[in-house]
């Protein structure tokens, strides 16, 4: 039995089940199902609140790609892209299909990955949880009713949190598994209720499919200024990618995943997935407002079961509490989720070492160097005895989602920067005046970051006086209207400049050591864009 619209039945995909199929349901019915199934709670102001159990983030070490004739020479095998044998995948698929057949109800959503029609992919997602179907329907691009008529899936994702993988039979590491088969165009996700695995799986598909077409896939947010010019913001989790793109004075294209074609920057998604922990109504009003909307899903946000009041400051369930909501919940969003090719590129980093300036201008070679480096730093404050920041290098600002060699994406970026004469900037949203672990050291004021960004994006910063940073070689403005000059000189902000110099050189060496893996794959000019070790 099937409720809803499903033009391409499951049995044509080799899926046999007696379950009731709830196909392509809208927001309200999916919330009704989730409440009736006991999957979560409706909060006082409208959002649906869920807990994801032990997995409150991606299980990167449990992701595998099937190594076969299709992927042998196209995937960059290593720590990030770990192989699974076709035999193990066949066993996993057999057991997944058996598990599907035993369900009494399933939720199916037919969606698009990508907003530019000529570069999108048809994706079918099969879930056992109604809220998971609501999540992925929110995060991907929702077809019109006319587009669902005749919809044929190209890729299929089956997501079963109740499934438990067997490392011996399935070649997995644990009971959790994310297995990608590009030949069969099938992704199997089991043993985790973290919904972000689904959206990142679609990102991985597009990162594999688009480069051969000359389209640059990007882990970035994007928006359009009043002048009609597009800016893209690369950055890892926690660097401000979502926050800084949700600017009421600019038109939002998207907050996380985009493609850069010959004619447009286009959102891969139809929704946003924002961090909720300690969200501020003052600093992030547009995102905060989504926590009071029906249709938003809040993951691992603490809720009072009696009053249904949420507490965004409580991290007892997770530091990585998340909210997913349709992109049109953000005022001034792009009607078609796309805009012109970029005029500016911003690389966001949260430097917990307090070394990098709040903004720097990059040459195209420096831009490629920092793109391949993908640097940010985290404060491991939850681990006993850890008192130092931890540098993180995630190539292309999204290594876990990049199946191909980083140079493929890096060369595409450099080519497009040169073709469009794109301005490139490095923005530090992290700490100033010392390491994040030092007493009294605070994070970069978001108002200062916005002021610097606005000056970069409206072109006024190009007329400022710049100095060359002695460690990294990029250009740093000496003065910017509305910004405390002390912020622009990180060395001068430290109480002990000699300690700054020591810390800066430690970071420089980490950059150089990390980039050694790319030196044979880039031009000499990019190698020469490296920071300078004393």
């Amino acid at each position: 039995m099937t409720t809803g619209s499903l033009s391409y039945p499951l049995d044509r995909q080799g899926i046999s089940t007696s379950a009731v199929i709830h196909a392509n349901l809208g927001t309200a019915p999916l919330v009704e199902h989730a409440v009736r199934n006991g999957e979560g709670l409706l909060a006082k102001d409208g959002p649906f609140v869920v807990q994801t159990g032990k997995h409150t983030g991606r299980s990167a070490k449990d992701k595998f790609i099937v190594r076969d004739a299709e992927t042998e020479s196209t995937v960059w095998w290593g720590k990030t892209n770990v192989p699974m044998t076709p035999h193990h995948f066949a066993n996993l698929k057999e057991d997944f299909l058996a598990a599907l057949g035993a369900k009494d109800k399933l939720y199916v959503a037919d969606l698009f990955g990508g907003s530019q029609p000529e570069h999108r992919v048809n994706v079918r997602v099969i879930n056992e949880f109604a809220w998971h179907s609501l999540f992925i329907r929110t995060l991907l691009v929702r077809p019109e009713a006319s587009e669902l008529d005749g919809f044929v899936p190209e890729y299929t994702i089956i997501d079963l949190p109740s499934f438990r993988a067997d490392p011996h039979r399935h070649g997995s590491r644990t009971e959790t598994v994310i297995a990608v088969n590009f030949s069969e165009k099938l992704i199997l996700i089991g043993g985790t209720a973290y919904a972000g695995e689904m959206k990142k799986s679609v990102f991985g598909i597009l990162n594999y499919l688009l480069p051969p077409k000359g389209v640059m896939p990007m882990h970035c947010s994007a928006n359009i200024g009043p002048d009609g010019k597009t800016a893209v913001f690369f950055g890892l989790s926690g660097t401000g990618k979502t926050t800084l793109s949700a600017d009421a004075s600019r038109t939002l294209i998207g907050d996380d995943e985009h493609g850069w074609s010959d004619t447009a920057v286009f959102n891969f998604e139809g929704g946003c997935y924002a961090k909720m922990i300690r969200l501020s109504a003052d600093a992030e009003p547009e995102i905060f407002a989504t926590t009071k909307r029906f249709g938003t899903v809040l993951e691992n946000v603490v809720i009072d079961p009696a009053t249904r009041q949420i507490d965004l400051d409580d991290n007892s369930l997770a530091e990585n509490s998340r909210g997913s909501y349709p992109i049109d919940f953000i005022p001034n969003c792009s009607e078609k989720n796309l805009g012109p090719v970029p005029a500016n590129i911003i690389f966001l980093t949260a430097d917990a070492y307090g070394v990098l300036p709040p903004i720097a201008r990059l040459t195209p070679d420096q831009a490629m160097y920092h793109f391949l480096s993908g640097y940010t730093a985290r404060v491991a404050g939850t681990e006993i005895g850890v008192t130092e920041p931890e540098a993180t290098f995630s190539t292309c600002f999204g290594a876990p989602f990049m199946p191909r060699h980083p140079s493929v994406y890096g060369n595409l970026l450099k080519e497009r920067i040169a073709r469009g004469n794109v301005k490139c900037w490095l923005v530090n949203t992290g700490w100033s005046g010392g390491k994040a672990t030092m007493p009294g050291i605070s994070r970069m004021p978001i108002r200062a970051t916005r002021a610097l960004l606005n000056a970069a994006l409206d072109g006024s910063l190009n007329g400022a006086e710049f100095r060359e940073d002695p460690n990294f070689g990029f250009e740093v403005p000496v003065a910017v209207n509305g910004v405390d000059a002390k912020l622009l000189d990180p060395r001068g902000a430290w109480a002990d400049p000699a300690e700054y110099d020591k810390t800066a050189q430690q970071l420089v060496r980490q950059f150089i050591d990390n980039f050694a893996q790319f030196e044979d794959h880039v031009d000499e000019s990019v190698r020469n864009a490296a920071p300078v070790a004393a």
Side-chain angles (χ1 to χ4, degrees), residues 288-310:
F288 186 86
T290 69
T291 68
K292 299 179 180 298
R293 295 282 300 269
F294 179 79
T296 293
V297 177
L298 299 177
E299 294 177 55
N300 303 311
V301 168
V302 172
I303 181 172
D304 185 307
T307 66
R308 302 298 175 91
Q309 182 68 47
I310 61 172

Side-chain angles (χ1 to χ4, degrees), residues 354-359 428 431-434 444 452 467-471 476-480 483-495 497 500-501:
V355 166
L356 297 179
I359 195 166
N428 174 21
W431 285 259
S432 179
M444 205 74 68
L452 290 166
R467 64 175 176 84
E468 183 177 305
D469 184 272
N471 297 297
V476 181
V478 174
V480 178
V483 178
D484 187 345
K486 293 179 180 177
L487 282 176
L488 297 172
D489 179 14
R491 185 176 188 272
W494 279 56
Y500 169 87
D501 292 338

